[in-house]
Amino acid sequence: MGKNNHPQVPAAKNVLSVLRYIAAQAGSVGAGTIIRDVGLPRSTTYHLLAALIDDGFVVHLPEERKYALGVTAHELGTGYSRQAPLQRIARFPMQRLVERTKRTAHLAIMHGRDVIYVIEERAKRQAELVTNPGVRLPAHLTASGRAMLATFSSDQLAALYPGPEAFPTRYETGVHSVEALKELLAQIREVGYSWEQDEVTEGFSSIAVPVKDHAGHAVASVTLTIANRAKAGKAVSARSASPGLAAERTVHLEDLVSQWLPEVTRTATEISRRLRPAG
């Protein structure tokens, strides 16, 4: 049967026209442009955008006064990778985090047993780290990954980590078994944040908080990384460091948490809010 024989449903066709137009753009787009190019009345367009936002198909980016695809749209397979809308939604809150803390921040997503860093906002006069956008690291070693892993069920963890071969290390530190990982993740769930010290880059500590979508699933994490002793970037490799290296830290985990955790939590909460449908 040809498509001309199907009954017309104007309201549905209008919704799909707006959604298809937004999906076809390289970036976010303003309402005026949508009205002009789709050819719908102004009031109709705004009503449709409000409905699409309510159901999570579209998100409003208030700083840009523009619209972009939402979580529900790319869950349906629009062809956008998950990190692309996250980057657009998270960029401004991540920038504000760095402005407030004067420390380097990251946004990462899970991919199998790895995390992939999709945003790095480097603070001025802060050392270069290994966590540039696109870099993959074992999730169990990173604060970013641990924040997301702490939301996984026991069955999910068992599937991801079937044996010791699933636990590579960078500096011979960190967890090496499912049992140790579960114990660590239980601690993380209890306190509400994750951490690592010298396990990714010797001389640096990180804390992280998960970002959750409208269904409450951890889709990313916000991490803040801070030098934990003087001349951290020039210190010797942790492989050859003495057993007393941790005692040389001038910034301890409790200090980092006390000073910076509220800001990391604030940023993760804001990104989570932007991912969820309105209402």
Side-chain angles (χ1 to χ4, degrees):
M1 182 181 293
K3 67 177 181 179
N4 291 333
N5 293 326
H6 287 294
Q8 295 297 306
V9 187
K13 287 179 66 67
N14 290 342
V15 170
L16 292 174
S17 294
V18 171
L19 188 59
R20 187 179 296 112
Y21 179 81
I22 295 174
Q25 307 310 305
S28 54
V29 62
T33 304
I34 298 171
I35 293 166
R36 182 195 67 203
D37 291 351
V38 177
L40 292 173
R42 179 184 180 87
S43 60
T44 299
T45 301
Y46 276 107
H47 281 127
L48 293 176
L49 286 170
L52 288 167
I53 290 170
D54 284 344
D55 287 333
F57 286 94
V58 169
V59 292
H60 182 227
L61 307 175
E63 292 80 22
E64 301 177 24
R65 297 183 180 179
K66 293 182 178 180
Y67 298 84
L69 287 179
V71 172
T72 305
H74 60 84
E75 283 180 343
L76 293 177
T78 62
Y80 280 72
S81 62
R82 181 171 294 274
Q83 63 265 36
L86 275 173
Q87 286 173 310
R88 293 196 298 269
I89 291 168
R91 180 70 66 182
F92 182 76
M94 295 294 291
Q95 290 173 346
R96 292 295 301 273
L97 173 62
V98 173
E99 289 171 3
R100 294 193 301 265
T101 63
K102 305 297 187 293
R103 299 296 187 273
T104 296
H106 309 88
L107 187 81
I109 62 171
M110 285 288 295
H111 190 272
R113 289 196 294 263
D114 293 339
V115 292
I116 301 176
Y117 293 91
V118 295
I119 292 179
E120 180 187 61
E121 289 291 339
R122 188 182 305 165
K124 294 180 180 179
R125 295 183 291 277
Q126 296 297 300
E128 183 175 355
L129 303 171
V130 300
T131 46
N132 293 322
V135 167
R136 301 170 67 116
L137 288 174
H140 70 282
L141 293 181
T142 68
S144 301
R146 291 169 180 175
M148 291 180 276
L149 289 172
T151 70
F152 285 21
S153 68
S154 295
D155 289 343
Q156 289 173 312
L157 290 173
L160 278 176
Y161 299 97
E165 69 281 357
F167 293 92
T169 61
R170 282 175 61 80
Y171 298 135
E172 305 305 323
T173 59
V175 296
H176 298 87
S177 67
V178 174
E179 291 74 20
L181 179 61
K182 287 183 176 180
E183 182 177 346
L184 174 60
L185 296 180
Q187 297 173 30
I188 290 169
R189 293 186 198 102
E190 183 176 352
V191 298
Y193 63 89
S194 62
W195 63 90
E196 64 83 14
Q197 299 187 96
D198 300 303
E199 293 172 68
V200 175
T201 301
E202 190 263 331
F204 289 87
S205 298
S206 298
I207 55 173
V209 174
V211 171
K212 297 184 178 181
D213 65 10
H214 68 292
H217 300 139
V219 295
S221 60
V222 174
T223 304
L224 198 70
T225 298
I226 299 170
N228 58 33
R229 51 188 174 273
K231 299 181 180 179
K234 298 180 181 179
V236 296
S237 167
R239 291 189 183 91
S240 58
S242 66
L245 180 62
E248 299 173 9
R249 295 189 186 112
T250 56
V251 178
H252 300 285
L253 180 62
E254 56 269 26
D255 302 322
L256 195 161
V257 169
S258 175
Q259 186 169 8
W260 303 123
L261 180 60
E263 294 294 345
V264 177
T265 302
R266 173 182 172 183
T267 302
T269 300
E270 171 62 14
I271 298 171
S272 297
R273 183 190 66 77
R274 292 174 177 226
L275 283 171
R276 294 170 185 165

